[in-house]
Amino acid sequence: MKVGIIGLPQTGKKTLFQVLTGSEVHEAGGPPKPIPGTADIVDGRFDRLVALYQPKKETRARIDLVLLPKMEQESIAKGDIFRDISDVDALCHVVRAFEDDSIYHASGSVDPLRDVETVNSELLLHDQIFLEKRIERLETSLKKIKDERQVKELDLLKRMQSHLENEQPLRLMDLTEEEEQLIRSYPLITRKELILVFNVAEDNLDDTSLLERVRGICSAGKMEAMTVSAKVESEIALLDSEEERQDFLRDLGIVEPALEVLAKLCLKALGRVSFFTVGKDEVHQWLVRVNSPAPVAAGAIHSDLQKGFIRAEVIKYDELIAHGSEAELKKAGKLYVQGKDYIVVDGDILNIRFNV
Ligand code: GDP
């Protein structure tokens, strides 16, 4: 479960990656390589639960990130970057939207929409080249022996090919379970979820015009979009206390911190939801696949909890906050007892009863 950060040079990828992973990136000499890291999920609900329970230990959920080498003519031509991209589950494309004359732009001017199109065309082209080669091989092999599975695959790949020729990313194609199986192992980049992260100037943080301009292409291409100021985020990260951070955000008029928006979009792209376990010992945020039944969520905590699952006691985060405490919530009868068929919902607070 990994999100890859891609983008043209000098867009703020490294700055953002450092903020997200809390680590410093030192680029070594030699050919550029992907840089792995891990990011805490930023979630205001977690912070409120910590404030409520004052636990001895706090454990945030985490996701893996990888900072991919910048997309330059050379790395694109060699195809190296695509090998790295094919290894991730979702992509975060950092697009430069800030003006700064002291920082060069590979195309000479700042034009976020153009850059989105440029990178998207490269990604489409990659999948086209991959499919072309695979189709050629299949056709050769089918001339020798007729294989049912390969006939099906060839038909699917040809449909995908014409889809790409219409400049449509493959994530827009609905595939059956069987079709998914046929292409599962292929490095098709445009099937991956894509988040556009526009790196805007500090003064433009509350300007929604850019997001309005991309709304059309986002819904047509099934992409998500958000704005962030990598520079502001790196300044926030340098502040010592949570209080200072809150003040800073308030001064800038930021209601929902960008890193929280980004975390939400990443989890959505990865098809994950969060649930919490709470108590005096620990407040812990966990991630599970969307539509997971309670025993599977229990298994994310410990395999014994899944094996010996009896029931889940569920608290709804919003109801807990509305009642102010667990005791008040229970008085109001809002503790729900659920069995093994219960599907965990984002924000659930679970207490698993089990027996081993
Ligand atoms: P990368 O090449 O995409 O990894 O970009 P970097 O994160 O290394 O940033 C390139 C340059 O742009 C650096 O000098 C950053 O300090 C600067 N930079 C990054 N984000 C911002 C921003 O939001 N505003 C401004 N003015 N400069 C930025």
Side-chain angles (χ1 to χ4, degrees):
M1 199 180 61
K2 192 158 60 173
V3 176
I5 299 181
I6 59 164
L8 298 170
Q10 302 289 94
T11 53
K13 294 182 298 298
K14 193 173 91 181
T15 310
L16 191 64
F17 179 82
Q18 294 188 142
V19 169
L20 290 169
T21 58
S23 62
E24 198 137 328
V25 173
H26 300 285
E27 271 157 294
K33 284 209 177 73
I35 301 167
T38 313
D40 279 341
I41 293 294
V42 181
D43 190 328
R45 296 174 301 183
F46 179 84
D47 300 313
R48 291 206 58 183
L49 291 172
V50 166
L52 195 62
Y53 287 90
Q54 310 263 327
K56 288 190 204 113
K57 191 173 163 206
E58 319 168 4
T59 313
R60 291 177 189 275
R62 315 190 84 193
I63 54 170
D64 290 326
L65 295 180
V66 57
L67 176 60
L68 294 160
K70 53 187 166 244
M71 301 183 68
E72 277 176 317
Q73 269 356 71
E74 203 184 330
S75 66
I76 293 170
K78 278 207 238 140
D80 290 350
I81 181 138
F82 297 110
R83 211 176 28 241
D84 301 329
I85 294 181
S86 62
D87 187 36
V88 303
D89 306 293
L91 291 169
C92 211
H93 174 194
V94 180
V95 188
R96 175 156 165 194
F98 67 88
E99 296 277 353
D100 189 332
D101 292 338
S102 66
I103 297 163
Y104 89 94
H105 190 295
S107 309
S109 63
V110 174
D111 182 344
L113 267 70
R114 174 203 59 206
D115 293 351
V116 169
E117 302 252 319
T118 305
V119 169
N120 280 349
S121 315
E122 295 298 343
L123 302 179
L124 283 171
L125 186 64
H126 165 272
D127 285 355
Q128 268 171 322
I129 293 171
F130 176 83
L131 285 181
E132 220 167 87
K133 283 191 196 146
R134 180 71 199 150
I135 286 171
E136 218 177 272
R137 277 229 221 110
L138 276 176
E139 281 174 338
T140 317
S141 134
L142 278 169
K143 269 185 210 140
K144 290 184 206 138
I145 345 162
K146 206 152 183 73
D147 174 276
E148 194 67 26
R149 186 184 156 98
Q150 289 194 340
V151 173
K152 276 189 187 155
E153 185 187 329
L154 184 62
D155 169 65
L156 173 63
L157 298 192
K158 284 195 166 162
R159 271 188 288 133
M160 291 175 113
Q161 195 176 35
S162 58
H163 188 87
L164 288 171
E165 276 159 12
N166 293 324
E167 307 208 353
Q168 302 284 308
L170 295 173
R171 85 183 80 82
L172 294 177
M173 265 182 99
D174 282 329
L175 299 186
T176 63
E177 190 58 37
E178 190 192 1
E179 290 171 333
E180 284 277 3
Q181 286 291 346
L182 288 171
I183 57 153
R184 184 147 291 169
S185 63
Y186 296 157
L188 294 164
I189 293 166
T190 66
R191 266 200 77 66
K192 297 178 197 294
E193 300 292 323
L194 183 61
I195 305 164
L196 303 176
V197 179
F198 292 100
N199 188 9
V200 299
E202 180 174 342
D203 312 336
N204 290 339
L205 268 176
D206 49 6
D207 182 358
T208 54
S209 61
L210 180 57
L211 290 183
E212 274 152 29
R213 272 196 287 150
V214 294
R215 192 171 296 155
I217 60 164
C218 281
S219 62
K222 206 163 161 263
M223 300 180 284
E224 299 280 353
M226 63 169 290
T227 55
V228 66
S229 164
K231 201 172 162 194
V232 167
E233 294 302 334
S234 62
E235 284 161 13
I236 296 176
L238 290 176
L239 298 174
D240 288 329
S241 70
E242 188 53 37
E243 233 178 341
E244 279 179 273
R245 277 191 272 275
Q246 294 300 337
D247 289 347
F248 193 94
L249 291 174
R250 205 171 312 119
D251 289 347
L252 283 170
I254 296 173
V255 190
E256 191 174 22
L259 298 188
E260 188 157 344
V261 179
L262 182 56
K264 265 190 207 158
L265 292 180
C266 285
L267 293 183
K268 189 173 165 204
L270 294 169
R272 296 297 193 278
V273 292
S274 303
F275 72 91
F276 301 91
T277 49
V278 297
K280 285 213 166 359
D281 287 333
E282 190 186 22
V283 168
H284 198 136
Q285 182 163 1
W286 306 86
L287 303 177
V288 276
R289 243 175 238 289
V290 175
N291 293 328
S292 290
V296 172
I301 305 171
H302 196 284
S303 56
D304 283 351
L305 269 63
Q306 180 163 12
K307 264 186 256 150
F309 181 90
I310 301 170
R311 61 178 185 271
E313 294 168 1
V314 184
I315 293 174
K316 295 292 174 186
Y317 171 83
D318 291 335
E319 292 181 353
L320 175 63
I321 298 303
H323 284 85
S325 75
E326 214 177 291
E328 287 300 317
L329 183 97
K330 282 179 182 160
K331 261 193 239 161
K334 298 216 161 149
L335 181 73
Y336 308 102
V337 176
Q338 301 284 4
K340 63 178 171 37
D341 296 330
Y342 175 71
I343 299 295
V344 173
V345 176
D346 188 53
D348 279 353
I349 298 165
L350 300 183
N351 183 23
I352 307 295
R353 296 290 176 180
F354 69 109
N355 184 6
V356 280

